[in-house]
Amino acid sequence: AQSVSQHNHHVILSEAASLELGCNYSYGGTVNLFWYVQYPGQHLQLLLKYFSGDPLVKGIKGFEAEFIKSKFSFNLRKPSVQWSDTAEYFCAPRGTNTDKLIFGTGTRLQVFP
Amino acid sequence: DAGVIQSPRHEVTEMGQEVTLRCKPISGHNSLFWYRQTMMRGLELLIYFNNNVPIDDSGMPEDRFSAKMPNASFSTLKIQPSEPRDSAVYFCASTLNESPLHFGNGTRLTVT
């Protein structure tokens, strides 16, 4: 069975601070990995994805994530956050032989100017 | 492309009433998902379909919940009878094969 754990439930940062959100997953096979973002009052949108190849994946708005297979991790990073990054962030693994996408509990990010 | 379309955007109903949520996936997508989002439980996968066939409904909380996908362009999620604890935002999402999910804007359900 697949599962995902996001360690940070609520993160508060000032603008220009660096961000790292943790994500660990459990799955007995090859996975694709996703980060989604949900801005206040909106639906989820894809931030970035990892399918194969370079484990360092770059997404929209300056976000990146690194897949570390040995640690079953896919942490999200951004070197300098902006107020507009205030949102909830969800990590989601998916086995390559299934469509089923399970989301983590989410991390709420608040960025203050 | 209009994206995933859900209706209604908001639904307020009294306990015991039947509620039907609707979803139109992106044309050409072959998988459709229903999720429920609450503060307490986060995003829960309720059920998903592939080529109109239910594949995994293990997340459907009770027999009061049912979902159908009569064709490739339409799905419903029905709650009968509704209860206050069903209050949540219900999202529909669709995808084609291994592509990322595309989400609708959700239906905010309030059961009083």
Side-chain angles (χ1 to χ4, degrees):
Chain A
Q2 62 194 82
S3 66
V4 56
S5 174
Q6 291 184 240
H7 319 299
N8 320 99
H9 297 291
H10 191 188
V11 174
I12 301 173
L13 295 172
S14 299
E15 274 193 319
S18 64
L19 171 72
E20 180 159 2
L21 303 182
C23 172
N24 285 91
Y25 68 93
S26 172
Y27 187 73
T30 307
V31 293
N32 297 324
L33 293 154
F34 304 85
W35 275 96
Y36 280 81
V37 59
Q38 186 178 28
Y39 297 103
Q42 296 188 26
H43 61 282
L44 276 78
Q45 303 170 46
L46 181 68
L47 199 55
L48 50 78
K49 64 183 186 289
Y50 172 79
F51 279 19
S52 64
D54 189 345
L56 184 61
V57 178
K58 295 193 183 299
I60 61 172
K61 303 186 179 184
F63 285 91
E64 64 179 32
E66 184 175 13
F67 171 50
I68 303 179
K69 189 175 180 179
S70 61
K71 294 184 179 180
F72 298 94
S73 70
F74 191 55
N75 292 356
L76 181 71
R77 299 195 293 250
K78 185 170 182 177
S80 177
V81 294
Q82 300 173 312
W83 176 78
S84 58
D85 293 326
T86 294
E88 192 150 12
Y89 293 81
F90 295 90
C91 179
R94 184 181 70 189
T96 54
N97 60 352
T98 178
D99 290 330
K100 188 172 181 176
L101 192 65
I102 301 296
F103 287 90
T105 50
T107 297
R108 184 179 172 212
L109 172 66
Q110 281 184 290
V111 180
F112 289 94
Chain B
D1 193 333
V4 176
I5 299 172
Q6 290 186 247
S7 64
R9 288 298 306 274
H10 302 274
E11 176 81 38
V12 181
T13 191
E14 291 183 346
M15 182 174 64
Q17 296 298 305
E18 177 179 296
V19 174
T20 300
L21 312 181
R22 297 172 176 80
C23 176
K24 176 178 167 51
I26 291 174
S27 177
H29 281 189
N30 60 355
S31 291
L32 182 141
F33 302 75
W34 282 102
Y35 288 89
R36 177 172 68 176
Q37 186 176 34
T38 61
M39 288 288 290
M40 294 298 294
R41 298 189 173 196
L43 263 170
E44 303 172 275
L45 176 62
L46 301 178
I47 184 171
Y48 81 96
F49 297 82
N50 183 260
N51 294 322
N52 312 338
V53 176
I55 302 299
D56 186 338
D57 64 354
S58 59
M60 295 287 262
E62 299 171 34
D63 290 345
R64 298 184 295 106
F65 285 69
S66 63
K68 294 182 180 179
M69 192 164 185
N71 57 62
S73 59
F74 183 65
S75 176
T76 60
L77 177 67
K78 188 175 292 186
I79 308 172
Q80 166 62 18
S82 58
E83 297 182 4
R85 59 193 167 119
D86 301 330
S87 298
V89 181
Y90 291 81
F91 287 103
C92 177
S94 70
T95 185
L96 173 62
N97 298 331
E98 293 187 355
S99 66
L101 266 63
H102 294 259
F103 282 81
N105 287 326
T107 295
R108 181 175 294 277
L109 173 66
T110 303
V111 183
T112 60

